[in-house]
């Protein structure tokens, strides 16, 4: 049970030519920080080890994407070298069991952690003492192939001394990422789709010049180097090559697209971020 250091007293009986006594007096305490604990040098100053900062987020919510999981932790005391930190509940990845790379500030953690796919668990050890201040680390997983809400992710720690930081939930950003609501939450996974996908033409007669109109709305932002492909536009007399594209709004799409007459396919590149 946690408690503040109680008053400690001292007295003595001195045996000599005459019996003497030293009366009961309260002892002086050093009241210094020990292991990151305020007044930790004071006798019977006892705290419950805990994580005062515990946050987690991700870099990409799209299915099968390489995803950087970022974690920030701060403990109520210094975590000595050899402390095992365990993240639990990171289910929904395609990353196989085994050692995975861990990147930490000032190399304060081991360079690799032990990953278990079925339980979504990562165990990583401290390489240097982690003082009572925020420490960040990250690792990369491959997102799974099924949509899911962000799972509940927890963290715990076991120190070399045997002291335990009890399992506790990590906080999540609940912020939009790549146009996906709560897409910054760990392993919130979505399949990109076009929620609006309309096409129409201006001229239906044989031999005429025809303009095709396309309207698209994606469920997520389309990043640079993405491609949009229209297929099945057979029955034209337009030779293969680059077709000029006209946009009715300022979007980060190419001014022309690669056209194949035989397959009726048009491929358009994305030069910047197209907001979903």
């Amino acid at each position: 049970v946690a408690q503040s250091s109680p008053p400690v007293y001292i007295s003595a009986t001195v045996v000599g030519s005459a019996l003497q006594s030293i009366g009961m007096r309260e002892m002086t305490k050093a009241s210094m920080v020990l292991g990151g604990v305020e007044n930790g040098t004071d006798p019977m100053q006892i705290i419950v080890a805990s994580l005062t900062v515990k946050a987690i987020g991700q870099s990409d919510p799209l299915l099968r994407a390489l995803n950087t999981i970022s974690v920030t932790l701060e403990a109520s005391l210094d975590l000595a070298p050899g402390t095992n930190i365990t993240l639990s509940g990171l289910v929904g990845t395609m990353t196989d069991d085994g050692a995975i790379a861990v990147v930490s500030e000032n190399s304060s953690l081991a360079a690799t952690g032990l990953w278990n796919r079925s339980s979504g668990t990562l165990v990583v050890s401290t390489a240097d003492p982690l003082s009572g201040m925020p420490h960040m680390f990250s690792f990369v997983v491959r997102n799974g192939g099924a949509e899911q809400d962000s799972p509940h992710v927890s963290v715990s720690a076991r120190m070399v001394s045997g002291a335990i930081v009890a399992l506790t939930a990590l906080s999540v950003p609940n912020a939009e990422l790549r146009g996906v609501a709560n897409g910054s939450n760990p392993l919130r996974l979505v399949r990109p789709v076009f929620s609006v996908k309309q096409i129409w033409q201006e001229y239906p007669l044989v031999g005429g010049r025809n303009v095709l109109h396309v309207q698209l709305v994606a469920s997520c932002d389309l990043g640079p180097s993405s491609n949009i492909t229209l297929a099945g536009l057979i029955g034209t007399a337009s030779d293969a090559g680059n077709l000029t594209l006209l946009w009715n709004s300022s979007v980060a799409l190419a001014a022309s697209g690669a056209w194949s007459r035989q397959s009726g396919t048009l491929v358009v590149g994305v030069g910047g971020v197209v907001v979903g």
Side-chain angles (χ1 to χ4, degrees):
V1 178
Q3 66 174 31
S4 297
S5 174
V8 179
Y9 299 91
I10 189 170
S11 63
T13 299
V14 182
V15 177
S17 57
L19 187 65
Q20 301 288 330
S21 66
I22 300 175
M24 187 78 68
R25 295 290 186 272
E26 184 174 352
M27 300 186 73
T28 302
K29 302 173 185 177
S31 298
M32 297 173 62
V33 174
L34 177 64
V37 178
E38 192 74 21
N39 298 325
T41 57
D42 293 355
M44 305 310 298
Q45 175 83 358
I46 301 173
I47 70 163
V48 175
S50 64
L51 293 169
T52 55
V53 175
K54 42 193 183 295
I56 189 170
Q58 69 176 4
S59 66
D60 201 322
L62 302 186
L63 298 186
R64 300 183 180 86
L66 283 176
N67 189 3
T68 300
I69 305 296
S70 299
V71 180
T72 302
L73 300 176
E74 180 180 350
S76 60
L77 73 170
D78 294 345
L79 299 181
T83 298
N84 284 335
I85 298 171
T86 302
L87 302 179
S88 307
L90 288 164
V91 294
T93 77
M94 299 172 69
T95 300
D96 292 332
D97 295 353
I100 61 174
V102 175
V103 177
S104 58
E105 288 184 309
N106 302 318
S107 300
S108 54
L109 299 182
T112 60
L114 186 61
W115 171 257
N116 182 278
R117 176 180 175 181
S118 61
S119 62
T121 300
L122 176 71
V123 180
V124 62
S125 298
T126 56
D128 294 319
L130 296 189
S131 59
M133 58 183 297
H135 291 269
M136 293 180 285
F137 66 94
S138 63
F139 55 97
V140 178
V141 296
R142 173 77 69 177
N143 289 344
E147 291 188 306
Q148 64 176 33
D149 289 330
S150 177
H152 296 289
V153 185
S154 301
V155 61
S156 62
R158 179 182 289 272
M159 288 172 270
V160 176
S161 65
I164 293 174
V165 178
L167 191 70
T168 183
L170 286 152
S171 62
V172 297
N174 291 324
E176 181 181 288
L177 178 65
R178 296 198 65 171
V180 177
N182 296 326
S184 59
N185 293 355
L187 295 175
R188 158 91 159 106
L189 304 181
V190 299
R191 184 186 308 278
V193 297
F194 285 112
S195 56
V196 175
K197 43 189 185 298
Q198 294 182 331
I199 186 170
W200 66 95
Q201 67 178 9
E202 291 186 359
Y203 195 82
L205 301 184
V206 172
R209 180 179 181 275
N210 196 4
V211 176
L212 299 180
H213 296 261
V214 178
Q215 184 178 22
L216 300 173
V217 176
S219 61
C220 64
D221 296 345
L222 303 181
S225 301
S226 300
N227 286 324
I228 298 172
T229 301
L230 303 179
L233 293 167
I234 56 176
T236 77
S238 298
D239 293 332
N242 289 327
L243 290 184
T244 300
L245 306 175
L246 301 175
W247 305 102
N248 61 1
S249 62
S250 177
V251 295
L253 295 173
S256 64
W259 166 253
S260 171
R261 175 181 175 182
Q262 182 177 4
S263 62
T265 300
L266 178 68
V267 180
V268 182
V270 177
V273 175
V274 177
V275 179

